[in-house]
Amino acid sequence: MRSFCLVPTAIVIVFLWSALPAAEHSPQRAAERATAPVNPNIVLIVTDDQGYHDLGCFGGREVQTPNLDRLAKEGVRLTSFYVTWPACTPSRGSILTGRYPQRNGLYDMIRNDSVDYGHRYTEEEYAVSPEMTLGLDLREITVAQVMRRAGYASGVVGKWDSGRARRFLPLQRGFDFYYGFANTGIDYWTHRRYGVPSLFRGNGRIEEEGYATDLFRREALRFIRENQNGPFFLYLAFNAPHIASNLEKDPFQAPAKYVQQYPGRDPKANRTKYMAMMTCMDEAVGEVLDTLKELGLERSTLVIHHSDNGGSGPGDNGPLRGRKGQLFEGGVRVPCLARWPGRLPAGRVNDELLSTLELLPTLAAVAGAKPPEGVVLDGFNMLPVLQGRTKSSRTEMFWQRRKDRAARVGNYKWVDSAAGKGLFDLSEDIGEKHDLSTERPEVLKRLEARFAAWQKEMDAAEPRGPFRDY
Ligand SMILES: [Ca+2]
């Protein structure tokens, strides 16, 4: 099931990443596997547009998420964990690269907007559309490339959202296995994106029947079983509970059996269907956890879960302000859980400021892999923070979405956006209700200055596509 594709970009990467001793080919990789230390497996479970308050372990009382709650009980629950952008594509680019969207170049959505006006793309139109021509810059080093150097088998199951053309697909970007869709959303039943067939196995487009979450569950379990001798890295990216992308305007799609788990509710209500989509996904997470246990891999596997951005529509972001697309906390602060029995404390709540920028350095450290040399990373290994041994070395975080700007420095958060603006003290006002701009002008000035410095640094970064003009 492994692929050993050598693409021209890999050659470029060899020059960029001077630590690479040679091109990737199977005998060497087999040797790496053979000599690699016994390293833990890693399962990174990313959900799509999941509300901050839609997990029982985050205080939600409506959605049934017993398996994610179990993950929290057996691990660490992070309450101040952020993504780098309030929507799908750029958020995922940072997961893959450990770099701000403005640094890796993927700082807006890859999306054919005409679907908003009911336009159905023909195959010929789609072939030259943004969804086919844009992608994560091929010079970027992905987390899977880093893991490969440590002898890991890496797989993506679910939503890729980093480029649909073959050169951008996971097998060309360091992963060994791919099953899912490459664009930013599909219909759960037809696996089409506004009419365009969008399901892949490896580099080939396929069609098969089934509810997307069930298919992703099946393939995740398959990947774990096939790689149980490890070490493996599974990036399990559910599209649930994101709305479906279809022209029939049937956005909330859940199998009846999960809707029936909420008998007191209107089965046609969007919130009910959203909850059912969550519960179906949670059940799949449960099967992943059960499989790890059955295979004796529970203690040798780090499991991390987070959402790619804040909830939208019927998602509940309480007590945070705002929603997906916005730079208020409800758009960028997401629920995060981490479990590694024996290595991370169980049932612990951790309020340290952390972000998805920390994922690549952390996974590299856990895997015993060297971070890519000559590449500026925006995060650090957060494992000691998760263990409760140290404070987070992250003291600030910045966001930019088109004209919207925001910064968190210490406990202060500054937002200047179309949805609203203000200065807030998150230590007392997590709901960003009380604007301190006039009371604390010196703090406002400091945060604006920090943002300007960050923006200057991003502007001076290496030129990266697909959006930057260079
Ligand atoms: Ca999303």
Side-chain angles (χ1 to χ4, degrees):
M1 65 185 289
R2 288 174 149 234
S3 163
F4 302 102
C5 297
L6 180 65
V7 293
T9 48
I11 297 166
V12 175
I13 287 159
V14 167
F15 284 105
L16 281 174
W17 187 0
S18 57
L20 299 190
E24 318 227 353
H25 55 87
S26 57
Q28 183 195 339
R29 291 196 46 211
E32 283 169 356
R33 288 292 296 270
T35 57
V38 180
N39 287 332
N41 307 303
I42 294 163
V43 177
L44 175 62
I45 302 169
V46 177
T47 50
D48 203 350
D49 295 11
Q50 173 187 299
Y52 189 78
H53 200 237
D54 284 328
L55 294 179
C57 55
F58 271 79
R61 291 286 173 269
E62 293 190 313
V63 189
Q64 294 167 24
T65 55
N67 295 292
L68 288 165
D69 297 347
R70 167 180 151 201
L71 203 57
K73 197 177 164 194
E74 296 171 353
V76 183
R77 181 166 69 88
L78 301 174
T79 60
S80 298
F81 188 83
Y82 290 89
V83 295
T84 60
W85 218 75
C88 311
T89 313
S91 175
R92 285 152 196 275
S94 287
I95 294 169
L96 288 171
T97 62
R99 287 147 64 83
Y100 275 116
Q102 291 73 16
R103 200 191 292 282
N104 68 35
L106 195 58
Y107 54 79
D108 213 306
M109 296 295 291
I110 298 178
R111 189 176 188 281
N112 288 349
D113 289 335
S114 297
V115 294
D116 289 345
Y117 308 99
H119 181 70
R120 184 184 290 266
Y121 284 78
T122 64
E123 288 274 345
E124 292 74 19
E125 280 177 316
Y126 195 85
V128 295
S129 70
E131 281 182 24
M132 275 298 290
T133 52
L134 305 180
L136 176 68
D137 195 300
L138 296 174
R139 294 167 294 181
E140 288 294 302
I141 307 286
T142 72
V143 61
Q145 288 172 273
V146 175
M147 303 300 277
R148 179 172 277 181
R149 306 309 306 173
Y152 276 65
S154 297
V156 180
V157 174
K159 174 166 168 171
W160 174 243
D161 201 8
S162 297
R164 151 69 186 84
R166 187 185 174 101
R167 64 189 178 278
F168 297 122
L169 292 178
L171 296 193
Q172 284 68 251
R173 306 302 280 115
F175 288 91
D176 305 291
F177 176 78
Y178 174 46
Y179 178 93
F181 60 98
N183 41 27
T184 198
I186 52 170
D187 181 286
Y188 281 73
W189 295 106
T190 67
H191 324 127
R192 291 169 179 248
R193 176 169 177 78
Y194 300 104
V196 177
S198 295
L199 193 62
F200 280 80
R201 181 183 292 282
N203 287 324
R205 209 164 61 174
I206 59 167
E207 295 213 37
E208 65 175 309
E209 295 199 347
Y211 182 67
T213 304
D214 292 335
L215 298 179
F216 300 154
R217 167 196 335 217
R218 181 193 72 197
E219 294 298 325
L221 299 182
R222 181 209 299 265
F223 178 84
I224 291 171
R225 287 190 185 282
E226 290 185 354
N227 291 281
Q228 61 180 282
N229 293 327
F232 65 80
F233 164 47
L234 171 60
Y235 176 26
L236 175 52
F238 290 108
N239 53 327
H242 192 291
I243 59 169
S245 304
N246 53 49
L247 293 166
E248 292 75 30
K249 305 290 182 193
D250 176 22
F252 294 93
Q253 300 175 317
K257 75 180 254 203
Y258 299 99
V259 177
Q260 285 157 9
Q261 289 188 31
Y262 296 94
R265 292 183 166 267
D266 175 3
K268 290 195 169 64
N270 286 343
R271 175 68 178 166
T272 310
K273 288 188 272 185
Y274 170 94
M275 289 160 61
M277 291 160 85
M278 280 285 298
T279 297
C280 176
M281 180 273 294
D282 178 80
E283 190 178 281
V285 171
E287 285 194 32
V288 167
L289 300 181
D290 289 346
T291 301
L292 292 174
K293 190 170 189 175
E294 177 203 324
L295 298 175
L297 301 176
E298 202 170 41
R299 293 183 68 80
S300 59
T301 304
L302 167 64
V303 180
I304 298 176
H305 158 68
H306 69 86
S307 179
D308 72 332
N309 51 254
S312 67
D316 180 0
N317 292 318
L320 310 180
R321 176 178 175 179
R323 54 190 289 274
K324 176 185 182 180
Q326 300 178 357
L327 300 186
F328 290 110
E329 297 287 276
V332 292
R333 186 193 285 227
V334 296
C336 182
L337 307 168
R339 185 193 78 170
W340 189 4
R343 298 296 302 272
L344 295 181
R348 191 75 60 86
V349 178
N350 190 313
D351 298 324
E352 292 291 312
L353 173 55
L354 294 165
S355 78
T356 50
L357 295 168
E358 274 69 80
L359 289 173
L360 185 145
T362 302
L363 269 48
V366 165
K370 279 186 186 170
E373 286 179 21
V375 177
V376 178
L377 295 174
D378 288 307
F380 60 95
N381 172 17
M382 65 177 173
L383 196 65
V385 184
L386 300 184
Q387 290 171 325
R389 292 195 286 124
T390 59
K391 292 275 184 193
S392 174
S393 55
R394 175 169 298 287
T395 57
E396 51 188 27
M397 178 100 186
F398 305 95
W399 298 268
Q400 181 163 19
R401 179 183 181 268
R402 301 170 193 169
K403 284 186 175 175
D404 293 353
R405 303 171 298 161
R408 177 172 169 176
V409 178
N411 282 323
Y412 284 107
K413 171 97 177 283
W414 165 73
V415 180
D416 182 1
S417 73
K421 54 174 67 176
L423 174 71
F424 310 96
D425 180 354
L426 297 176
S427 67
E428 299 174 349
D429 179 23
I430 197 174
E432 295 170 292
K433 289 174 182 156
H434 185 55
D435 181 9
L436 300 170
S437 298
T438 48
E439 285 173 54
R440 308 267 172 82
E442 76 290 352
V443 176
L444 177 65
K445 203 172 169 186
R446 182 159 61 89
L447 265 64
E448 286 174 338
R450 287 304 306 143
F451 182 90
W454 172 80
Q455 195 172 43
K456 196 174 172 189
E457 184 186 341
M458 293 300 118
D459 288 346
E462 324 87 303
R464 288 289 186 266
F467 301 115
R468 199 162 174 184
D469 183 18
Y470 62 88

